[in-house]
Amino acid sequence: MALRVFVRRASIAFTTTGVVGGAYVLGCIERTHRLVEYKTYQEPGGELVKAAPKWKVALRFVHLTFWFVPLIIFWVICQRHHVTYMIWCRFFKRMLEVTGPAFVKLGQWMAIRSDLFPKEFCDVLCDLHDNVRPHGMRHNRRVIKKNLGKPIDELFSEFDPNPVGSGSIAQVHFAKLRSTGDEVAVKICHPRVRETIAVDFYCIQLMAQLADPYCRWMDFPGIAKQFARNLSLQVDMRYEAENLEAFNENFKDSKYIVFPKPVKELCGKQVLVESKIDGKPLSQYYITADDPVDEAHAHLARCGADLVFQMVLTDNFFHADIHPGNILVGWFPNDPLPFLGMLDVGVTQTLTQHQRDVSHKFMASIVRKDWDDTTKYILEMGGEQPYCDKAAFIRDVSAHCERMMPHKIPKTWEETFWHYGRKYGVLAHAAKKTGFATDFVQGIFNLIQEHKVRIEPPYASLLFSCLMMEFIANQVDPKMDAIQYSAPWFVSNAYRSPKRLAV
């Protein structure tokens, strides 16, 4: 009897909350409609946001409320202890997986913002996977006919009905072109993915507006805007085709860095046909610090470093979604050295001249061990910094940098430990997972959170790409010193004349 009473009261409470929440959301949508439109993403994200019907947004928001509100309550309880906090992080990850493609991508994007969120939280979200059931061949046939103008059987002599991968936005099939006999990969968007994301765009923007008064230093509306821009580019395959053409042009002289080549006449809004890259996941080539490093592994580490440095310093057009799952390792016939195959280039970043100058000076100051300049350019990455105690931040960053990379000869036991750990890679070898540069920059990220320093999204994307480069290099060659290897790039003249600039 007591259980029935409890269930009845709980049902009434949830129903009342849903009705009141729905009415509240409708009012919020009406109240913030002009604000959201003012912050639209123009091309193409703004079109998606404006296309979302208000009633669908209201229903979706109520549905999300039943997921987020209990999670927020549990966070208040769990965040006091590390063990319970880690359990909460895993629950949060699971919630993102079941709430749809936009929130899966949001979690993956949050995982790279170590300047905003705790490292343990980001580490949990790094394992966030696209858990999407593959769609069937009926949808494939309809989309290919609509986007490419011909039936699937006229375009492909072979088409594997079983996808090799199914992400939150699209899935990939291997096929063979009927016209040339070339093996290709065909990426096809899931059904109604644009409509679903259109509604979630509006919900995320609305939640950002509601949360902003409580955490102004984090700039939630700006985060939502940047995230929406990145995701909107991924649901239009024509953008990825353009990015592939640009990367192939930039790396045409690099034998061991390979990007798929798009088949121009077979690319549409929902379909992308590109050359197939035969290779194995990069993770299969990871080694530990105790394993011997052969020439192939050392070559992979150098290729990964050269890849990021060329994209960032020379081309000013870099892959903003680099992670081990997007990288394959393959071998050319009769070649003892492997190549890196880069996939999923839908999200890219280009910096303005000012952003390039600040980024270059920041990284060069680390190589020079000029900690005053390091803190100066970190603060410049976010503008005025109204919520930061600049003096305290400069003091703490200088102390962190000096501890990790001391100028003077070490005297105390602690200084000796850090000095020789840096010099001979002992710390990186003990960690087995991260290298020195990752620990160095992660420490700065921790101070950025502690002192409420704002970092604009383009800088965060750049720093994350550099961290991923160092992480990947450390996994295949733990003895590589990424900071020492980067020095020649900072004195090269290629930086002074980038191939493109953002406006």
Side-chain angles (χ1 to χ4, degrees):
M1 181 63 68
L3 180 61
R4 290 183 179 179
V5 173
F6 173 77
V7 171
R8 187 183 302 113
R9 290 179 179 177
S11 300
I12 294 173
F14 276 107
T15 303
T16 304
T17 303
V19 173
V20 175
Y24 173 72
V25 169
L26 286 173
C28 287
I29 292 174
E30 198 64 41
R31 178 167 54 87
T32 61
H33 183 65
R34 289 193 299 271
L35 182 61
V36 173
E37 282 199 329
Y38 179 73
K39 291 181 175 289
T40 51
Y41 325 111
Q42 297 299 323
E43 172 64 23
E47 298 175 359
L48 288 173
V49 172
K50 294 176 184 177
K54 294 183 182 180
W55 67 270
K56 286 188 177 181
V57 175
L59 291 178
R60 177 63 168 160
F61 199 94
V62 172
H63 173 249
L64 293 173
T65 299
F66 286 103
W67 283 102
F68 279 96
V69 171
L71 206 65
I72 294 173
I73 295 174
F74 291 150
W75 178 81
V76 174
I77 300 172
C78 296
Q79 54 95 20
R80 299 182 181 182
H81 304 284
H82 179 75
V83 174
T84 55
Y85 174 71
M86 295 306 296
I87 294 174
W88 180 88
C89 290
R90 294 185 179 92
F91 273 113
F92 182 79
K93 170 191 167 186
R94 179 57 183 161
M95 182 210 67
L96 294 176
E97 289 176 338
V98 300
T99 47
F103 289 92
V104 170
K105 290 296 183 182
L106 177 63
Q108 292 173 340
W109 188 79
M110 292 169 68
I112 73 174
R113 293 304 302 265
S114 299
D115 58 311
L116 294 176
F117 305 105
K119 183 178 184 300
E120 297 87 351
F121 178 74
C122 294
D123 289 343
V124 171
L125 293 186
C126 280
D127 295 330
L128 186 64
H129 298 293
D130 298 336
N131 187 18
V132 177
R133 179 180 298 177
H135 58 252
M137 282 299 297
R138 178 180 298 179
H139 176 73
N140 290 341
R141 294 179 184 277
R142 182 170 60 251
V143 169
I144 289 177
K145 172 69 174 177
K146 178 181 177 181
N147 284 259
L148 305 183
K150 292 182 179 180
I152 192 171
D153 296 330
E154 291 186 17
L155 297 173
F156 305 102
S157 58
E158 297 179 13
F159 192 97
D160 189 348
N162 300 313
V164 294
S166 180
S168 56
I169 302 296
Q171 65 187 41
V172 179
H173 296 261
F174 287 153
K176 182 177 290 187
L177 291 177
R178 185 173 294 278
S179 57
T180 62
D182 293 337
E183 292 185 336
V184 294
V186 184
K187 182 182 287 189
I188 304 173
C189 287
H190 290 304
R192 296 179 298 278
V193 67
R194 292 178 63 85
E195 292 77 6
T196 302
I197 289 176
V199 174
D200 286 345
F201 270 1
Y202 214 126
C203 291
I204 291 171
Q205 177 70 5
L206 185 57
M207 287 188 289
Q209 296 293 339
L210 297 176
D212 187 52
Y214 304 99
C215 299
R216 289 196 178 277
W217 77 272
M218 297 184 74
D219 188 23
F220 280 129
I223 293 174
K225 180 178 179 179
Q226 178 70 13
F227 165 72
R229 171 195 172 273
N230 292 345
L231 187 55
S232 62
L233 294 176
Q234 294 182 66
V235 298
D236 192 333
M237 297 297 162
R238 295 172 296 185
Y239 286 93
E240 183 167 356
E242 293 176 3
N243 293 339
L244 286 173
E245 290 183 342
F247 281 123
N248 275 287
E249 175 64 24
N250 292 343
F251 287 91
K252 62 183 179 183
D253 298 326
S254 300
K255 178 180 178 182
Y256 296 105
I257 299 175
V258 179
F259 290 83
K261 294 179 173 57
V263 183
K264 296 181 181 180
E265 62 274 13
L266 297 181
C267 294
K269 199 169 189 178
Q270 297 175 283
V271 180
L272 170 64
V273 180
E274 60 188 19
S275 59
K276 177 184 175 183
I277 295 181
D278 290 316
K280 297 179 180 179
L282 178 68
S283 58
Q284 294 189 15
Y285 293 85
Y286 288 177
I287 60 175
T288 67
D290 298 326
D291 296 329
V293 179
D294 56 24
E295 179 57 26
H297 282 82
H299 173 75
L300 285 176
R302 293 193 298 268
C303 284
D306 291 340
L307 166 75
V308 173
F309 289 137
Q310 178 177 331
M311 288 192 298
V312 171
L313 298 177
T314 303
D315 302 333
N316 192 26
F317 182 70
F318 57 92
H319 193 328
D321 190 26
I322 295 179
H323 59 80
N326 284 345
I327 303 177
L328 296 178
V329 176
W331 303 78
F332 295 118
N334 302 320
D335 194 326
L337 298 178
F339 67 83
L340 290 179
M342 306 301 299
L343 307 176
D344 293 339
V345 298
V347 182
T348 58
Q349 186 72 56
T350 300
L351 305 180
T352 64
Q353 184 61 56
H354 174 71
Q355 291 169 344
R356 278 177 56 79
D357 291 340
V358 172
S359 302
H360 182 268
K361 292 174 182 177
F362 165 72
M363 291 186 283
S365 70
I366 294 176
V367 176
R368 298 195 315 268
K369 299 184 181 180
D370 187 340
W371 310 138
D372 290 337
D373 276 358
T374 299
T375 53
K376 170 185 173 182
Y377 294 122
I378 291 174
L379 293 171
E380 196 169 336
M381 289 179 182
E384 295 181 359
Q385 305 292 356
Y387 305 99
C388 171
D389 182 347
K390 296 182 180 180
F393 178 70
I394 292 173
R395 181 188 65 245
D396 290 349
V397 169
S398 297
H400 166 73
C401 294
E402 185 63 31
R403 179 169 65 91
M404 296 288 285
M405 299 175 66
H407 287 84
K408 60 183 181 296
I409 298 175
K411 296 180 180 179
T412 66
W413 166 249
E414 182 181 9
E415 290 178 353
T416 302
F417 174 77
W418 283 106
H419 174 74
Y420 286 101
R422 161 72 184 99
K423 185 173 182 180
Y424 297 111
V426 174
L427 300 180
H429 294 177
K432 300 289 175 96
K433 292 184 178 180
T434 60
F436 169 78
T438 299
D439 296 334
F440 179 82
V441 178
Q442 185 60 56
I444 292 179
F445 278 162
N446 293 339
L447 294 173
I448 285 173
Q449 293 179 51
E450 179 182 342
H451 292 278
K452 299 182 178 180
V453 177
R454 278 188 176 181
I455 299 292
E456 294 178 359
Y459 295 112
S461 297
L462 171 65
L463 293 176
F464 173 73
S465 296
C466 294
L467 284 182
M468 284 308 304
M469 176 275 297
E470 203 267 349
F471 170 81
I472 291 169
N474 182 255
Q475 298 304 307
V476 295
D477 182 3
K479 296 179 174 60
M480 179 180 181
D481 187 333
I483 293 181
Q484 181 179 358
Y485 188 83
S486 69
W489 284 91
F490 290 106
V491 298
S492 109
N493 292 325
Y495 165 78
R496 307 181 191 282
S497 54
K499 294 183 179 179
R500 65 171 72 191
L501 287 172
V503 294

